[in-house]
Amino acid sequence: MSEVRRLNSWRDELASLVDDTGIRYVADPISMSTTSVEATTTEYVSGETLRNDESAQSETLKDQVKGFAIAWGEIVLELGRGCRDIVQQSLLTEDSYIVRKLQKPCARVSAKFKYLNEFLPEDRDPAHAWPIILFVFILALAAINVNTKHDSLVRTVKKVQIHPPSAARVLLPDGRRMAYYEQGVPADRARFSLIAPHSFLSSRLAGIPGIKISLLEKFGVRLVTYDLPGFGESDPHPSRNLNSSAFDMLYLANAIGVSGKFWVLAHSGGSMHALAALRYIPNRVAGAALFSPMINPYESGMTKEEMKRTWENWLPRRKVMYFVSRRFPTFLSFFYHRSFLSGKHDRIDRWLSLSLGKKDEILIEDQAIEEFWHRDVEESIRQGNPKPFKEEAILQVSNWGFSLSDLQVQKKCQGRGILPWLRSIYSQAECELTGFLGPIHIWQGMDDQVVPTSMTDYIARVLPAVTVHKLPNEGHFSYLFFCDECQKRIFSTLFGIPQGPLDNNEEMDLTPLEETTADGLLSADSATE
């Protein structure tokens, strides 16, 4: 009965929610089994509980971490928006110090690059488009860098080996020892003596790469190469410059028995040491042979056109290295330890950021050339000290202490004044020739991407007496390195018809030298080890 009353009351409550239609339900009340309802309810509740337990178990640690990360992401996003609002309201207002200082420079830069907005779609805001373009550009550079590194890992990496000392050395007046290497005919039979300073990341082993002894003997040439201070087996110089470099060459010549004049031969960066010899010891130099001579890329005497042609084809990394050498040389050690002082070999063009012409590309792929370079580099860096390389890089881009115009032959008479004028009345004015009086030959490859032809053009403009040999289709290395016919033509140009070594009773055909007055010059007997 209690069940019927509960059902009736339920119907009454439902009926109270609607209007009374006068219809009464008189049928027997529907009876329900309490047991079945309770069972169904129990089953439903237990099923829901089971599913809730299963869903709770399915929430793994990964889902919790994901939810935690999403929550933190929302917090960081809101924090960023708050910081942005703070910056906009405090720092980027028109009255802020930063806006007042940067507004005019930014406006000038924006005006210069405003024409680039014409390349954007009309419906794109430049303020949003350019940051996206910049971001994509940075990603592309990163991807290229990663691919380059991956390719380099595929290549076989050869480790640097340090060989036992093997050089002959001379003692210089200041107590330093200089290592040198001698090829060709002996000193007492040499018709011509060649002294060759090496270039950056090279050593005394370079000289004339691939030169044959038979060719040296045919022309009676004695070829002497040496290690610059701190390179190879030579002791470092505490404060070297191009003046000290020239006198190092002079001391070496006297110590190894070069009694007459000698020729200087240099390639690329070694040319600044050869030019220093022409400036500071001109009376001991018979002539100069320069191959792709590298001068100061910041040379103030170059015209705008020559400067543009010098810089336009260099790789960006090489330009950066010149800038660092000139402004922040302290950081050069970092770059050197990551390249040629890393203990591993690589291609010379990658280490020095060089772009090569067609013939140079073919040349460096040769196995013999690669072995030569590896051995030369190993000797150059044997001391493991970046300081001499820093000194060499700084010398290249700094003030040399002299100008190329100082080498030009000029007639210099007595200065102006009363006393010289009175002397000129009774005697002819005394004049003398200044500059370098000997021949200077330059060989320049017209496809040289390392030392542009604009540098040779500048030298020829400043020194009109220079003989320039322009080489079509030749690069930076292709004419001098391992080219027998090329080397034969070079010697024929410098020395004429080959006459072989001197006989014991024959004298060298050189102009007698003035007596050397430099202090501390050593003889070969006392200085050569």
Side-chain angles (χ1 to χ4, degrees), residues 177-330:
R177 296 187 181 275
M178 175 178 288
Y180 71 97
Y181 178 54
E182 191 173 352
Q183 294 173 280
V185 300
D188 58 343
R189 301 190 63 202
R191 189 177 295 275
F192 303 101
S193 294
L194 268 176
I195 296 182
H198 61 78
S199 59
F200 187 88
L201 197 56
S202 188
S203 71
R204 68 183 185 279
L205 302 182
I208 303 177
I211 189 71
K212 291 184 177 179
I213 303 301
S214 59
L215 182 62
L216 294 173
E217 293 176 347
K218 183 178 180 180
F219 283 87
V221 174
R222 182 191 185 196
L223 175 62
V224 180
T225 56
Y226 65 97
D227 290 328
L228 294 174
F231 290 76
E233 297 184 39
S234 289
D235 294 337
H237 192 291
S239 57
R240 71 185 179 106
N241 51 35
L242 291 180
N243 187 303
S244 66
S245 180
F247 279 94
D248 281 353
M249 202 181 304
L250 176 63
Y251 298 147
L252 173 65
N254 285 276
I256 62 176
V258 179
S259 58
K261 288 186 176 183
F262 57 85
W263 286 73
V264 291
L265 181 145
H267 174 252
S268 190
S271 299
M272 63 178 174
H273 302 286
L275 292 171
L278 305 187
R279 173 65 181 87
Y280 294 113
I281 53 171
N283 294 332
R284 291 299 304 273
V285 181
L290 308 178
F291 299 87
S292 300
M294 180 74 184
I295 63 172
N296 187 347
Y298 297 97
E299 173 61 46
S300 59
M302 285 195 289
T303 63
K304 290 184 177 180
E305 180 62 24
E306 290 170 341
M307 190 71 72
K308 178 183 177 182
R309 290 169 53 203
T310 297
W311 286 86
E312 63 183 356
N313 293 325
W314 281 343
L315 297 178
R317 178 180 170 83
R318 188 178 181 190
K319 297 178 182 179
V320 170
M321 292 302 294
Y322 281 133
F323 174 78
V324 173
S325 302
R326 187 174 173 86
R327 298 298 182 185
F328 308 101
T330 305

Side-chain angles (χ1 to χ4, degrees), residues 506-519:
E506 187 180 358
E507 296 181 357
M508 288 184 297
D509 186 15
L510 292 174
T511 304
L513 295 176
E514 297 179 1
E515 184 177 355
T516 305
T517 58
D519 296 333

Side-chain angles (χ1 to χ4, degrees), residues 140-162:
L141 287 180
I144 293 173
N145 189 33
V146 170
N147 290 335
T148 303
K149 290 183 177 180
H150 176 73
D151 295 339
S152 63
L153 292 176
V154 175
R155 299 175 65 251
T156 302
V157 178
K158 185 178 178 181
K159 293 185 178 180
V160 172
Q161 298 180 2
I162 302 301

